[in-house]
Amino acid sequence: MLPTENRLRRREDFATAVRRGRRAGRPLLVVHLRSGVTDPHAPGESAPRTRAGFVVSKAVGGAVVRNKVKRRLRHLMRDRVDLVPTGSLVVVRALPGAGDADHSQLARDLDAALGRLLGGGAR
């Protein structure tokens, strides 16, 4: 699972990543990235951590399917959080096809979207 300190929880942080960040879309998901944001909620002088949040709407499926998709995305993001610049906000929004996709398909789309955002690939 994604560690608690790497989870995006506040509504304002989700809004910042979606409205002010860059976006990369794939058939199963859309990734929003706001690079290098300082965390106003973090206590002390520690370096801000990369935080990720997930949006899985009812269009993806019922509660069981939505929770399965969220668990898979959290697991996938755990291995990729170190690739994203420190202090960044990442929001992964699942599209309706994500409910029927398997783990490898979600991983492929997440890698492609993050690669495009971090590497500046062609649109």
Side-chain angles (χ1 to χ4, degrees), residues 2-65:
L2 190 64
T4 303
E5 60 270 6
N6 291 112
R7 291 191 191 172
L8 200 58
R9 297 185 185 270
R10 291 183 172 81
R11 179 184 179 115
E12 302 86 30
D13 295 337
F14 275 89
T16 298
V18 172
R19 292 185 185 143
R20 296 188 183 145
R22 296 178 349 171
R23 155 180 99 215
R26 302 296 303 157
L28 300 177
L29 48 86
V30 176
V31 178
H32 300 268
L33 173 68
R34 174 80 169 146
S35 295
V37 177
T38 58
D39 183 8
H41 309 292
E45 296 294 322
S46 63
R49 292 185 166 245
T50 298
R51 293 177 295 144
F54 307 93
V55 177
V56 184
S57 73
K58 288 184 179 181
V60 173
V64 172
V65 174

